[in-house]
Amino acid sequence: MTDLNAIQPSALDQLPDRDPEETAEWQASLDAVTKAAGPHRAAYLMRRTLERAEGNGIALPKLLETDYVNTIPTAAEPSVPGDEEMERKITAWNRWNAAAMVTRGSKHGVGGHIATFASAAWLYETGFNHFFQGKESQESPGSGDQLYIQGHASPGIYARAFLDGRLDESHLDNFRREAGGGGLPSYPHPRRLPWLWEFPTVSMGLGPLSAIYQARFNRYLTNRAVKDVSASHVWAFLGDGEMDEPESTAALALAAREELDNLTFVINCNLQRLDGPVRANFKIVQELEAQFRGAGWNVVKTLWGTAWDELFQLDTTGALVRRLREVPDAQVQTYQTRDVAYIRQDFFGSDPALVELSKLLSDDKILECFHLSRGGHEARKVYAAYKAAVEHKGAPTVILAQTVKGHTLGEGFASKNANHQMKKLSVDEFKSMRDLLELPISDSQFVDGVVPYGHPGADSPEVRYLQERRAALGGPAPARRVHPVAPLPAPADKAFASFDKGSGSQNVATTMAFVRLVKDLVRDKETGKRWVPIVPDEARTFGMESLFPSLGIYSPKGQTYEPVDRDQLMYYKEAQNGQILNEGITEAGSMADFIAASTSYATHGEAMIPFYIFYSMFGWQRTADQMWQLGDQLGRGFLVGATAGRTTLTGEGLQHADGHSPVIAATNPAALSYDPAFAYEIAAIVKEGLRRMYGEAAPGEDQNVFYYLTVYNEPMPQPAKPSGDGVDEGIVKGLYRFNTAESAGLSPVADAPRIQLLGSGTAIHWVLQAQRLLAEEWGVAADVWSATSWTELRRDALEADADLLRGEERIPFVRRALQGAEGPVLAVSDYMRQVPDQIAQWVEQDYSSLGADGFGLSDTREAARRHFGVDAESVVVAALAQLARRGEVKAAAVKEAREKYGL
């Protein structure tokens, strides 16, 4: 009988072995196989045993790597429906025109990339012919599939659109030449070609991240019953070198955790990045397989073409498979360019079993395998991988397709380290390519050394076949559509007007005011369900916990646990139809959410109203590249930089103190940037944003914009909205007079020196204190203006300058607003002076500014403001100095004020 007390827990799982003798027998069997047949046979048996266990549903840790062979055996490959020879001809035309387009453009110095599409042509063509649903798809009407095209492959997509009749030769000849109109953008840019491109994918790394969140947002729309897009599939085409970008793999776990089987990554593993091999001394396919398997993805490797089938059948010892696993990527690249003698010696000569195997192979067979035959270059192999991907349930799929960069472009291109920078082929190289692709292009068509475009004719069998396949799949792809839907009805004025009366004696932070406004708007019967609140795990910081029980936090699993705060009024509620996207600590993921939601009006024909609220310091500074992507993708919605400003976030310090987000926001032409001071200003801006982006836009008004609002966590009195005409216009345009010295009840003496104080955001409160100090202690009358948007004032002024050059005279709004205002102007904000200085050149009065330049620091608000010289007393001294320079107060008053306030 086994002595249980003598049994020690296994280091493997910490469980006592209930039958050590049985365990010892299994271990002895493994030892015997290793001794008799060698470690390779033992490893093979172990893998097969684990494979059987997984098939039987036995819970075991998965292997992170499999052999360097195709996941789908040749015998298990389905036949490709349709006419494979016709598809070969179509692909040949597209290869030719993609290369011709870039080569012809090179004479203008605009460049372009040839080698990427050459390697990936079959990855795209197989999808277009058999898988990618168009917008008229019966399965997913109005939505279709979402295609994230690898940016460097864009010439191939243009070439297909040319064959399809959606582009003509003049378009191709204006590749990368857009200034004159009618040109084609370098990469997928919806803002530049909005009927074709749907998703920007350059900068690299943003495509895979966005694809994951797009697939997740599709589930969100379906689960919330906004629109059933469960049949839509998201395809992301990526380069193996691109996977080094941190954004490329940042959300792999999310995709697996939420079982996004509506998502497929297709990674073109040509083993080369921009300057050479991806993993020169290692194997990128194996690394990616382990990474994706570890994250919980289904992995399909499509590495070798049919020419390799004979080699694998002859490999009775496993020596070939072992050799393929150990050869580093750079050596595989070298085999592509070397002769058969080198391959026989270097690859096969390393193992006696391989030497014997190679004797059975002809030179032509070896060259075919090592130079040409890759899984990503064969429609049958790619079709099998795609079919397996769309049929797999319960997890997203990644297809690792091995190709040759520069395939079919000739010896001067294929697998050369420099091919990413090679922009053209010679005439002789094109003629060789023509012969290889069997295209009916004669030598006489090369006029004056210019390579011709090729087209079989609008009524040719190739074009008819292409169009028939796309019609069967729901229309052309890629394609972007803005569906003709009615503007969203404006919410009732009550939600906005409730802020006009102010907060009375209650102190309210503008962050709270914004959250309260949204809470009212999501109750709207017409548009309430279209709001998409997005927050990166700081909802309680921003006072949003009141939305938890009423809106619910989205989770595809619902709530499978009992929340710890279940007895509280504002408990943590998750639901499958939850409205809030509470993302965890990921600003990049939250921005990807925002992009998917903000472009749903085009992607799915469903206008959604996202607002993404975040630490302002960690928005534009951290994810500004995604905000350019948002502008490119023509997104609409509200970005809210909370805990804004350099001095309002007490104690947090340098990395949290935002003194520059409006500067970065100003660089984005699609961003309308506002720094509201009061709750009623927020209401007016949001109301205007809803009208402009989702309602009845004015003639010539661009709806494809997004709003950036900075809001603060400092509770302050919220005044009533001033009466009088022009306040709403001023709030939207960026500037209005909040009060005068007289209306503030300060009763300045006759002929008192006067100054105009402009403040934005939380700075308005220091300015109001300074207004009182100037009147009561220095006899100076100050009028106070609220500058809701320095950036919009500047843009309006720049447009006025441009109008003047065209002979149309128009006074900029900022000059018009300040016209007749007495005295100099002093502008103050909680940001670096560069923010208010945006308008300086258009202000006719003497102009100066105060701001919080430099790094932030940890301290109280009061101490921080004194440090940066933006508190009320510092504003008073700066105002006196400005008046003293004009001779309107005595110079001694400036020194006296400094001493009085301890500055």
Side-chain angles (χ1 to χ4, degrees):
M1 183 174 179
T2 303
D3 181 3
L4 295 179
N5 293 324
I7 298 175
Q8 298 296 319
S10 165
L12 182 66
D13 54 20
Q14 299 298 306
L15 294 175
D17 190 342
R18 67 180 185 181
D19 194 341
E21 293 178 7
E22 182 183 34
T23 303
E25 290 173 3
W26 279 77
Q27 292 172 335
S29 298
L30 180 62
D31 293 341
V33 170
T34 304
K35 184 175 181 181
H40 299 300
R41 176 62 179 169
Y44 174 80
L45 291 174
M46 289 297 296
R47 291 200 302 274
R48 294 305 297 270
T49 301
L50 288 171
E51 182 180 71
R52 173 60 64 86
E54 184 176 349
N56 289 337
I58 299 173
L60 285 172
K62 291 185 178 181
L63 290 172
L64 294 184
E65 287 186 36
T66 60
D67 283 326
Y68 203 70
V69 296
N70 294 350
T71 301
I72 303 171
T74 300
E77 292 172 358
S79 59
V80 180
D83 188 333
E84 291 189 53
E85 176 59 22
M86 187 64 69
E87 292 176 18
R88 185 199 66 77
K89 291 180 179 179
I90 291 169
T91 304
W93 285 115
N94 292 339
R95 286 183 181 278
W96 176 271
N97 287 321
M101 178 194 327
V102 176
T103 297
R104 288 168 68 123
S106 67
K107 67 182 180 181
H108 302 292
V110 294
H113 301 290
I114 302 177
T116 294
F117 178 74
S119 67
W122 277 112
L123 302 180
Y124 292 104
E125 294 298 325
T126 303
F128 285 128
N129 289 329
H130 301 287
F131 291 94
F132 303 157
Q133 297 181 79
K135 294 292 185 183
E136 286 82 39
S137 161
Q138 292 183 358
E139 291 80 5
S140 188
S143 297
D145 287 352
Q146 287 78 60
L147 308 181
Y148 288 77
I149 304 295
Q150 190 180 2
H152 293 136
S154 61
I157 308 305
Y158 291 139
R160 195 173 215 277
F162 170 65
L163 201 67
D164 194 9
R166 293 199 288 165
L167 295 174
D168 57 31
E169 286 193 15
S170 66
H171 290 114
L172 302 194
D173 264 348
N174 282 297
F175 174 57
R176 293 193 169 197
R177 300 175 67 205
E178 299 180 82
L184 300 178
S186 55
Y187 302 127
H189 292 306
R191 186 169 284 273
R192 293 302 184 203
L193 203 62
W195 60 268
L196 179 73
W197 297 121
E198 197 164 20
F199 306 104
T201 52
V202 179
S203 300
M204 285 191 286
L206 299 188
L209 179 68
S210 292
I212 289 174
Y213 281 88
Q214 181 66 56
R216 196 279 198 89
F217 188 74
N218 290 356
R219 290 280 174 85
Y220 173 89
L221 286 179
T222 301
N223 287 337
R224 289 195 54 223
V226 175
K227 182 180 182 181
D228 184 356
V229 292
S230 55
S232 288
H233 201 87
V234 178
W235 301 81
F237 289 84
L238 318 167
D240 47 359
E242 181 179 6
M243 300 311 293
D244 284 343
E245 292 283 6
E247 295 89 350
S248 295
T249 54
L252 298 186
L254 167 73
R257 183 170 65 246
E258 300 203 1
E259 301 178 355
L260 298 180
D261 49 26
N262 60 340
L263 169 67
T264 297
F265 276 15
V266 182
I267 303 181
N268 177 18
C269 298
N270 56 36
L271 313 185
Q272 287 182 252
R273 51 189 176 202
L274 309 187
D275 287 330
V278 180
R279 291 289 183 275
N281 298 296
F282 306 94
K283 301 189 79 65
I284 185 60
V285 168
Q286 300 300 90
E287 178 182 318
L288 291 174
E289 179 184 28
Q291 193 169 13
F292 278 87
R293 277 178 168 266
W297 287 52
N298 175 46
V299 179
V300 176
K301 294 197 291 192
T302 303
L303 307 180
W304 308 110
T306 53
W308 283 84
D309 290 348
E310 180 183 344
L311 276 69
F312 288 125
Q313 290 170 1
L314 295 172
D315 182 30
T316 58
T317 66
L320 176 62
V321 174
R322 291 196 298 273
R323 181 65 176 146
L324 289 174
R325 283 197 70 172
E326 69 187 24
V327 175
D329 283 352
Q331 194 63 21
V332 173
Q333 181 188 2
T334 297
Y335 293 147
Q336 166 69 30
T337 64
R338 300 302 291 270
D339 60 23
V340 70
Y342 179 89
I343 298 172
R344 284 187 184 275
Q345 178 182 352
D346 191 87
F347 183 84
F348 293 98
S350 62
D351 187 307
L354 290 179
V355 172
E356 294 303 311
L357 187 152
S358 69
K359 292 177 181 178
L360 304 175
L361 304 174
S362 68
D363 287 355
D364 287 344
K365 185 66 175 181
I366 289 176
L367 289 177
E368 180 185 12
C369 288
F370 283 84
H371 283 193
L372 301 173
S373 187
R374 300 290 187 274
H377 295 325
E378 296 188 12
R380 179 183 175 117
K381 304 291 185 183
V382 176
Y383 181 87
Y386 285 8
K387 190 170 188 293
V390 296
E391 292 178 353
H392 185 82
K393 300 303 177 186
T397 294
V398 59
I399 295 169
L400 303 174
Q402 186 167 247
T403 66
V404 173
K405 194 167 185 178
H407 184 59
T408 73
L409 297 180
E411 294 181 359
F413 256 90
S415 279
K416 295 299 173 68
N417 280 342
N419 60 21
H420 187 76
Q421 303 302 325
M422 297 161 68
K423 312 299 183 187
K424 60 184 178 180
L425 277 71
S426 67
V427 169
D428 289 340
E429 287 172 324
F430 265 109
K431 290 179 179 178
S432 297
M433 181 182 177
R434 171 201 62 191
D435 297 340
L436 176 66
L437 298 176
E438 300 177 356
L439 290 171
I441 298 174
S442 66
D443 286 355
S444 62
Q445 290 178 261
F446 291 81
V447 179
D448 297 327
V450 177
V451 59
Y453 294 120
H455 200 292
D459 196 39
S460 64
E462 293 96 325
V463 172
R464 288 202 307 271
Y465 181 90
L466 181 155
Q467 293 176 341
E468 288 168 1
R469 291 306 309 141
R470 288 311 314 160
L473 287 166
R480 181 181 182 274
R481 301 278 175 83
V482 178
H483 304 266
V485 295
L488 294 183
D493 274 342
K494 181 180 178 182
F496 305 104
S498 63
F499 293 89
D500 291 352
K501 61 185 178 182
S503 63
S505 60
Q506 183 183 6
N507 288 343
V508 177
T510 52
T511 300
M512 298 299 101
F514 178 83
V515 171
R516 180 189 148 190
L517 174 62
V518 170
K519 193 172 182 179
D520 290 341
L521 292 173
V522 296
R523 294 194 185 109
D524 186 85
K525 292 181 180 180
E526 297 289 336
T527 61
K529 71 174 184 178
R530 299 190 177 276
W531 283 88
V532 183
I534 303 167
V535 58
D537 202 37
E538 288 277 11
R540 296 183 192 277
T541 300
F542 307 138
M544 293 176 59
E545 64 268 29
S546 61
L547 300 178
F548 289 169
S550 58
L551 301 184
I553 299 165
Y554 172 75
S555 170
K557 298 288 187 182
Q559 193 154 35
T560 60
Y561 60 92
E562 187 176 20
V564 68
D565 53 1
R566 62 194 177 279
D567 298 327
Q568 298 179 16
L569 181 63
M570 293 183 287
Y571 70 98
Y572 198 84
K573 176 187 174 183
E574 295 189 79
Q576 192 174 29
N577 65 347
Q579 195 163 350
I580 302 169
L581 292 173
N582 193 358
E583 285 303 358
I585 305 174
T586 167
E587 287 84 5
S590 299
M591 267 306 302
D593 267 335
F594 187 89
I595 291 170
S598 70
T599 54
S600 181
Y601 73 92
T603 308
H604 294 301
E606 293 287 346
M608 305 300 285
I609 311 171
F611 80 85
Y612 164 35
I613 187 167
F614 50 89
Y615 263 85
S616 65
M617 182 68 163
F618 304 138
W620 287 90
Q621 175 166 302
R622 180 168 287 182
T623 58
D625 198 12
Q626 288 178 283
M627 288 154 181
W628 275 96
Q629 180 190 15
L630 167 65
D632 192 347
Q633 201 167 318
L634 309 172
R636 305 170 184 173
F638 297 95
L639 296 176
V640 184
T643 60
R646 182 144 280 165
T647 70
T648 60
L649 192 57
T650 55
E652 290 286 358
L654 187 148
Q655 281 291 95
H656 287 65
D658 171 25
H660 52 278
S661 69
V663 177
I664 308 175
T667 65
N668 191 312
L672 276 61
S673 178
Y674 287 87
D675 185 25
F678 305 123
Y680 66 79
E681 293 178 352
I682 292 173
I685 294 164
V686 171
K687 181 179 180 180
E688 169 65 10
L690 290 173
R691 180 205 64 78
R692 176 167 178 174
M693 295 185 290
Y694 301 97
E696 294 284 357
E701 193 172 43
D702 186 5
Q703 285 189 282
N704 299 315
V705 296
F706 59 93
Y707 282 68
Y708 174 56
L709 282 72
T710 49
V711 294
Y712 299 85
N713 70 329
E714 184 175 10
M716 298 295 287
Q718 296 298 323
K721 183 178 179 180
S723 59
D725 297 333
V727 173
D728 284 335
E729 180 190 22
I731 291 172
V732 171
K733 289 187 175 294
L735 184 68
Y736 69 96
R737 182 153 49 196
F738 175 73
N739 69 19
T740 64
E742 291 77 9
S743 66
L746 297 175
S747 303
V749 298
D751 299 326
R754 187 172 289 268
I755 189 168
Q756 308 299 317
L757 300 179
L758 279 55
S760 67
T762 195
I764 200 80
H765 300 287
W766 326 325
V767 168
L768 288 169
Q769 293 174 42
Q771 179 191 39
R772 180 179 54 79
L773 291 174
L774 283 167
E776 294 177 355
E777 300 183 5
W778 305 98
V780 172
D783 300 335
V784 173
W785 300 71
S786 180
T788 53
S789 180
W790 309 101
T791 302
E792 288 306 297
L793 292 173
R794 174 180 174 82
R795 287 175 176 172
D796 171 77
L798 288 171
E799 289 175 10
D801 287 355
D803 291 342
L804 186 61
L805 293 175
R806 291 189 292 265
E808 305 168 17
E809 189 168 354
R810 179 174 69 83
I811 300 174
F813 180 81
V814 63
R815 184 172 295 168
R816 205 158 29 96
L818 291 170
Q819 201 164 35
E822 296 180 44
V825 170
L826 175 60
V828 188
S829 85
D830 202 18
Y831 299 93
M832 55 197 304
R833 289 176 61 185
Q834 188 173 336
V835 175
D837 283 353
Q838 290 181 88
I839 66 170
Q841 71 187 79
W842 293 280
V843 175
E844 292 181 317
Q845 294 88 342
D846 291 341
Y847 187 90
S848 65
S849 64
L850 294 176
D853 287 78
F855 289 111
L857 76 167
S858 303
D859 214 309
T860 65
R861 294 183 179 116
E862 294 75 15
R865 286 163 189 167
R866 177 56 58 94
H867 169 82
F868 287 110
V870 292
D871 59 355
E873 292 79 6
S874 298
V875 173
V876 169
V877 172
L880 293 174
Q882 207 170 357
L883 291 167
R885 285 194 295 271
R886 296 162 56 91
E888 297 181 24
V889 300
K890 295 180 179 179
V894 180
K895 180 180 179 183
E896 183 183 347
R898 279 201 305 266
E899 293 173 351
K900 178 181 178 69
Y901 300 132
L903 298 180

